[in-house]
Amino acid sequence: MMETERLVLPPPDPLNLPLRALEVGCTGRWELLSEPGAAESTLPHGLPPCAPDLQQEAEQLFLSSPAWLPLHGVEHSARKWQRKRDPWSLLAAVGAPVPSDLQAQRHPTTGQILGYKEVLLENTNLSATTSLSLRRPPGPASQSLWGNPTQYPFWPGGMDEPTLTDLSTREEAEEEIDFEKDLLTVPPGFKKGVDFAPKDHQAPAPGLLSLSRLLEPLDLGGGDEDESEAAGAPPGDTVPASPCSTPLGRASSLEDLVLKEASSTVSLLEPPKPAAQEQWAVPVDVTSPVGDFYRLIPQPAFQPCPFVSLAQWSFEPDVFQKQAILHLEQHDSVFVAAHTSAGKTVVAEYAIALAQKHMTRTIYTSPIKALSNQKFRDFRNTFGDVGLLTGDVQLHPEASCLIMTTEILRSMLYSGSDVIRDLEWVIFDEVHYINDAERGVVWEEVLIMLPDHVSIILLSATVPNALEFADWIGRLKRRQIYVISTVARPVPLEHYLFTGNSPKTQGELFLLLDSRGAFHTKGYYAAVEAKKERMSKHAQTFGAKQPTHQGGPAQDRGVYLSLLASLRARAQLPVVVFTFSRGRCDEQASGLTSLDLTTSSEKSEVHLFLQRCLARLRGSDRQLPQVLHMSELLRRGLGVHHSGILPILKEIVEMLFSRGLVKVLFATETFAMGVNMPARTVVFDSMRKHDGSTFRDLLPGEYVQMAGRAGRRGLDPTGTVILLCKGRVPEMADLHRMMMGKPSQLQSQFRLTYTMILNLLRVDALRVEDMMKRSFSEFPSRKDSKAHEQALAELTKRLGALEEPDVTGQLADLPDYYSWGEELTETRNMIQWRIMESVNGLKSLSTGRVVVVKNKEHHNALGVILQVSSNSTSRVFTTLVLCDKPVVSESPRDKGPATPDVPQPDDLVGFKLFLPEGPCEHTVAKLQPGDVAAISTKVLRVNGEKIVEDFTKRQQPKFRKDPPLAAVTTAVQELLRLAQAHPSGPPTLDPVNDLQLKDVSVVEGGLRARKLEELIRGAQCVHSPRFPAQYLKLRERMQIQKEMERLRFLLSDQSLLLLPEYHQRVEVLRTLGYVDEAGTVKLAGRVACAMSSHELLLTELMFDNALSTLRPEEIAALLSGLVCQSPGDPGDQLPSTLKQGVERVKAVAKRIGEVQVACGLNQTVEEFVGELNFGLVEVVYEWARGMPFSELAGLSGTPEGLVVRCIQRLAEMCRSLRGAARLVGEPVLGAKMETAATLLRRDIVFAASLYTQ
């Protein structure tokens, strides 16, 4: 059987199979047909694409989007698309919205069109970058809180938004423009302008615009027909000029007629103004009780205790609190000035409750960040809906009550924050902080910039000029400020002197000032005797040459141990010891190692509280020497509080003190700033402090602020204040002045800053001059503006009624004669003033020198100097002066009006000495240097002491009729003979030849005086018989014009004290390129607006790329020199990059300082560069690199608290630079600043405040 061979055949092709695939629809279902053929589909074009084309996807992901490209090796992925050029797109601009419209003015009877008037349209595309109005729409939600440096602020209160009518009225009233010669034809930046040649057109009525003049440039056609119709119109159909036309009255000239018409127009357009005598500061009487308080406010907005009926309070408010609440209910602004711990916070709490009731917002400002944190805790416990905004913390910004520092509120106002829209109250706590030289200007800026709808609450310690300050704010905001002051303390104080220093002398406590305010001299002398007795015993034991007590650590320990033992025995703990040195605070607390003031239960409570608070710190931070030392002190009932303590430790001390667990607290002056933590007793380690420049006694305001911490309301009947007398007892006068003197007045610290200038220059409607006008420093000169305006109007009226003097013919040079005489008098006064300021001039005024005296009592009378005071600062010359014999029976009323003198040439050139008409008399007067009009060459031999003694004796009633001594008679006769011999004045000392004054102004003044004398002698008007009458007319007119010029100067910007400095600072900004010639803020200026401090230096560093090449930690280290407050050297261990960076920063600062000096500012280059302190550069550098805080102490001797404060402020500056870098378009620098801020914000330096937890 043959084996069959199997053949392997190839598989058949799908097309050869007797099958055909058919796709049904787009669901993916297939069917097989028993017919051969290719696959088919029921859809005409197949399935829709489920993914993009691969080529398009590749181009889109890898070629069109740079973010997808790799950082390296991009040579194979480069592709270029040719951009289509469209230069016309650069010229396309969206048309500006029409701000106004033309409104037809019709005849009230016939309806005939009389003219057209331009009216302002409201809400024409307003935005935050074009308008200051509250009607503008809100900005983006992301900018609603902080605003944006590019946004406009809202209109400041009291400064109304001007309308077209106001602008036109102001221009007509204030500016005199010649519309033919003074018009500018070329706009800024243009090469060609517009031809304003006058055309023959009939002027429209006042306030109306001529439509034909407006439409003149347009060729509308039909002009010939219109002209022919106009020519054929009958005369009776002419259009009247105004619907209220009246026949013109007769006038002496066309000018008078125009002035009358202009004045009537202005009076119609001016809005009604408040009376000049209106009282803006209204004192409120707090002496009488408010009996109907609960009837007026049956349901108070603030109810501290929810379990009490709404008609009652949980406590009975004081009278001043009730008065303040009544005014708050009426939405009035108040100024509450009361002693420390008197209860001013009740007023603030009621305002917050009112805002919550009205569904508005309140801002509470405080001078320091620590006080903001404490108020946040207190108000959050009371109201709940409270937010906190500080430089590094932002909690609940949407709350109805926001607590912040005054600097943050200023930034929000300048940046146009939308929070201001809903604002009803702004509460300024510790207003007396406006006296701070560094930060006081912030208060004034905020008060000026607040909008009109915001009411103001001012809380302050007692100040003597509260009414003046409130009057300034009232005039500023055009609203009344109610001043509520109380001098009564809720807990009266008793002031003692303590002279003890051992257990034997711990009872040496002497009452100096009792609770009724009576000063006890008996107690003072007892303290002096006790101190003297101990010093005598010390001298007997150790010898008289031994040094007295100088307050060393061992002696301090004895003093405090004896004092605290006495206070503990009398149950007068807790006590606050105010010491004006951080180092002495630490020494005094550390020296009391044997003192333990807490019980075992209190020690346990302190221990648990410390554990709970310190648990948030990392392990190494809990072992810091300061933390361990403070924990040991707190367990024994002692505490230390000053700026060198870590912030978290200060808060722990404050909380334990408020709980009564800290019995003795050693603190500096900052503890008394606004913190409501009273003690039973306050102790002053000394009454002298160092204020940054010198040692001085405490001011009364400072003493009262700190002493006010004594006495707890509701717990102590009186508070005790003790002044330690470690050395000698202070002088009684010094103690009396410190304890009973008036507190310091509120004084303006207003000054110009570059941030303020740039923020106002970027807004066209606001001027820096207006800010200066409205400052508290200008208030004394500006508060009489209304009176000046009225006086100016009256003088203008008087001037118009005066008869013009005749200056024709021989009287042609009469005006020149008057001006020459005035200029000669001013030149001589200037020369004489320079003589009296010179050394040689004062030397010439010795005893026996004959002088010409000119003051209120004597007019060009001769006198001889008898005595010269030895005080070099204020010289006084005792002089014998000729005078008329007084007539006792003649009174000023009987004399009648004096006949005005008409000066002849000899009178002007010479002095026209006084000659007595009757018997010659004399007097002895004490003259100031300004009373000496001329120094003669004549010297008399006189016995000054004998003449003064004789004159003084004859002033007594008993010796009044005695004849004068022979020395007096001889001197008087010699002066009289000299006056008769030289009626035009004796020969005087030449300032250049005799007194050797080589000053240019003196030499030129002398030459000018001689030239004026020649001109006066050659005047022809004096020969006219009508000269006296015409001269008097001219003088009256010129004096009125001079007074009008003075009033105009006082009302103008030129009288501002800071105007020269403003022009100098603007010149600095112009030189550095921050503003252009027209005053427009450029990009660099807008960047500087975003900086919180050192705006010029930071902006220059950014634009010089001095920071872009550095690493984030190096940038942070360099910027620490701008915020560090501790002077010191950067050290030699710095990396070379940092050393070069420090030198570069100093070089930029030197360049800015040189520009300032070149522009005329007083600050020298060394002073400007000296503001930089690079002592913590290494500390900040290592901290940013991750070094633990415990290791930083060895790098610098700066206290830990100051290091923390420096790093915190540095983080704020980094955030400001980050925003500025984004504004400029520098993403790399912005990312570095963000990284630097992140590196700084860690561990104990940025531990959350205990008050916010």
Side-chain angles (χ1 to χ4, degrees), residues 31 212 264 463 761 816 843 967:
E31 292 184 4
S212 61
S264 62
V463 290
L761 284 179
D816 295 334
K843 283 183 179 178

Side-chain angles (χ1 to χ4, degrees), residues 142 199 210 230 377 416 451 489 645 659 716 746 787 858 880 926 949 963 1002 1047 1131 1172 1179:
S142 59
K199 296 179 176 58
S210 173
R377 180 197 62 176
R489 286 186 174 275
I645 303 297
R659 295 186 182 187
D716 304 322
L746 294 178
H858 307 280
L880 177 70
K926 293 186 179 298
E949 289 177 2
V1002 175
L1047 292 176
L1172 307 178
V1179 172

Side-chain angles (χ1 to χ4, degrees), residues 788-811:
H788 292 337
E789 291 175 0
Q790 292 179 357
L792 185 60
E794 293 176 0
L795 290 176
T796 305
K797 187 176 180 181
R798 281 181 55 192
L799 186 64
L802 287 180
E803 183 181 352
E804 286 280 354
D806 184 10
V807 290
T808 59
Q810 201 174 13
L811 295 171

Side-chain angles (χ1 to χ4, degrees), residues 220-272:
L220 302 180
D224 298 338
E225 297 178 3
D226 295 341
E227 291 177 4
S228 61
E229 291 178 4
D237 295 338
T238 55
V239 179
S242 172
C244 54
S245 301
T246 56
L248 296 178
R250 291 187 176 274
S252 58
S253 66
L254 181 61
E255 183 181 2
D256 296 340
L257 185 62
V258 173
L259 287 175
K260 290 177 183 177
E261 183 179 352
S263 62
S264 62
T265 305
V266 171
S267 62
L268 291 175
L269 296 177
E270 279 185 346

Side-chain angles (χ1 to χ4, degrees), residues 17-24 30-38 40:
L17 293 175
L19 298 173
R20 184 159 58 93
L22 178 65
E23 183 183 9
V24 181
W30 293 80
E31 292 184 4
L32 292 177
L33 304 178
S34 58
E35 298 177 2
E40 294 183 1

